[in-house]
Amino acid sequence: MKSILIKIFSLLVILSCFTGFSKLNATEKSFSKRFNLLATTTHLADLASQIAGKLINIDALMGPGIDPHSYRATAQDIMRLQAADFVLFHGLSLEGKIARVLQETKRKGITHYSPCEELPKKTLIFTDDTNKAVDPHVWFSPEIWITCADSFTQKLSEVLPEHRNEFEENLSKLKTSIKEIDRWGKSLIKALPETNRILITSHDAFQYFGDHFEIRVIGLQGINTMVEAGLADRTNLSDFIEKHQSPALFVESSVNPKALEEIAKETGASIGGTLFSDALGTGNEFVKGPTGENFSTATWQGMMVHNLIVIEHALNKR
Ligand SMILES: [Zn+2]
């Protein structure tokens, strides 16, 4: 009798071990199966988070304050890129130094996608010099960013069709939020005295912003921070500031402010504040949007509201 009880007890222990093991195995499997999206820039990581943040893992290659024009991939970045299920990149030559590394992920069969490179040519801005280089700073146009959000959602839904409805629902919320900020931003800039509607920044990142919100935009450096401003650029900008009595200059969170600060000192113009251009904020700061919602500056909405408030405040001097 005793030996039968021992046998039954042993059987129960073995069975419970198996059940426990299979449960653990299932948990491990579902964890390891979670879809990994790696975005190159903070703007794209935010876009992916707003569309799919609760459903997939999202990470960014570059963090706040990082300049994508000059960013070089580390050995760890290459490993992260090759381990991703989906590489979301900006293109349009923004990540100039890592273009080859990004191409390599495509060769390895990883989903490799840029919503910005899908944009119709007529929506893009090109430099007016002989290079006719494409301006990559498309996130500054609310309309264009909505188009990018549409294309990304479509692509992600093709890869993960089981979540299509959730992605579409999140896209709709994002579009409503962008449109609200767009309407408010337009009225804010329109209320500025016309002669004050001049935005002078460290590099020429704000042309889409200027076109959309009807404000003249001038950058000390060109559309790419890799080309430093020369003496002639500095002299031309100083002359412009004096001629137009520009109320303020604006530095950028991802660009060295030294040259612009020197020009402000020389011309007597003030620094109107720091704008988020090629990288979003850390997420530790929040701004209040037009409908009272608090946005982290690590989001498109927070970036846009922050920039509009800083610009309006500095240029609203009659
Ligand atoms: Zn830039």
Side-chain angles (χ1 to χ4, degrees):
M1 182 68 188
K2 199 180 170 189
S3 73
I4 292 171
L5 279 173
I6 288 170
K7 273 182 187 167
I8 292 171
F9 179 74
S10 306
L11 193 66
L12 282 172
V13 168
I14 290 165
L15 273 174
S16 74
C17 279
F18 264 112
T19 324
F21 177 75
S22 66
K23 264 186 196 160
L24 183 70
N25 213 21
T27 317
E28 274 180 349
K29 258 187 187 166
S30 67
F31 179 76
S32 66
K33 267 190 147 180
R34 204 165 150 93
F35 191 85
N36 286 307
L37 181 146
L38 183 59
T40 53
T41 65
T42 48
H43 300 85
L44 290 171
D46 165 60
L47 175 60
S49 296
Q50 298 206 42
I51 301 297
K54 289 187 182 133
L55 301 160
I56 62 173
N57 292 334
I58 295 157
D59 209 355
L61 209 57
M62 304 174 207
I66 301 290
D67 176 3
H69 299 286
S70 59
Y71 187 79
R72 288 173 193 274
T74 62
Q76 203 192 0
D77 288 340
I78 294 169
M79 280 163 63
R80 287 168 74 196
L81 281 163
Q82 293 184 354
D85 296 305
F86 191 122
V87 171
L88 179 61
F89 70 103
H90 189 88
L92 306 178
S93 302
L94 181 73
E95 310 100 326
K97 299 282 170 196
I98 61 168
R100 206 184 297 170
V101 175
L102 292 171
Q103 274 302 322
E104 190 61 18
T105 60
K106 189 181 182 184
R107 209 180 60 78
K108 287 198 178 292
I110 297 162
T111 304
H112 171 269
Y113 183 72
S114 160
C116 312
E117 294 212 326
E118 302 285 314
L119 289 165
K121 204 174 172 189
K122 66 176 189 315
T123 62
L124 298 172
I125 295 175
F126 293 84
T127 55
D128 52 12
D129 55 18
T130 48
N131 292 329
K132 298 266 174 269
V134 64
D135 181 341
H137 308 92
V138 293
W139 57 86
F140 278 131
S141 158
E143 277 167 1
I144 297 181
W145 202 235
I146 282 178
T147 309
C148 291
D150 273 330
S151 314
F152 167 67
T153 305
Q154 178 64 31
K155 180 70 183 178
L156 195 64
S157 301
E158 285 166 20
V159 179
L160 297 169
E162 66 275 28
H163 295 307
R164 181 181 289 274
N165 291 344
E166 290 119 304
F167 296 156
E168 291 287 347
E169 212 173 289
N170 293 337
L171 172 66
S172 167
K173 279 186 209 151
L174 173 62
K175 282 160 103 166
T176 304
S177 171
I178 291 177
K179 284 175 186 169
E180 276 164 5
I181 292 170
D182 182 7
R183 271 194 297 275
W184 165 78
K186 273 186 176 151
S187 63
L188 206 65
I189 299 296
K190 210 171 181 181
L192 287 170
E194 211 171 331
T195 48
N196 289 14
R197 277 184 236 156
I198 304 172
L199 181 65
I200 299 171
T201 56
S202 296
H203 90 298
D204 204 2
F206 289 82
Q207 292 298 340
Y208 292 94
F209 180 91
D211 265 17
H212 188 84
F213 291 103
E214 296 182 26
I215 181 165
R216 187 168 180 185
V217 170
I218 298 186
L220 173 61
Q221 286 173 272
I223 57 165
N224 190 333
T225 56
M226 295 305 287
V227 183
E228 273 191 37
L231 189 62
D233 300 313
R234 292 174 68 126
T235 310
N236 287 343
L237 185 59
S238 296
D239 290 349
F240 180 91
I241 292 164
E242 276 161 17
K243 190 176 166 199
H244 292 84
Q245 297 180 328
S246 307
L249 317 183
F250 299 86
V251 293
E252 301 165 41
S253 66
S254 53
V255 182
N256 188 337
K258 194 170 168 274
L260 209 68
E261 283 171 353
E262 283 169 3
I263 290 174
K265 216 171 177 183
E266 285 159 21
T267 57
S270 63
I271 295 290
T274 304
L275 304 179
F276 294 112
S277 57
D278 292 6
L280 300 178
T282 58
N284 295 327
E285 303 157 286
F286 288 82
V287 285
K288 204 177 272 298
T291 53
E293 196 177 339
N294 274 323
F295 292 113
S296 147
T297 55
T299 63
W300 183 95
Q301 294 94 323
M303 170 278 291
M304 193 54 98
V305 170
H306 165 92
N307 284 355
L308 283 161
I309 290 173
V310 168
I311 292 166
E312 194 276 338
H313 184 74
L315 298 186
N316 197 8
K317 290 178 181 153
R318 289 164 203 270

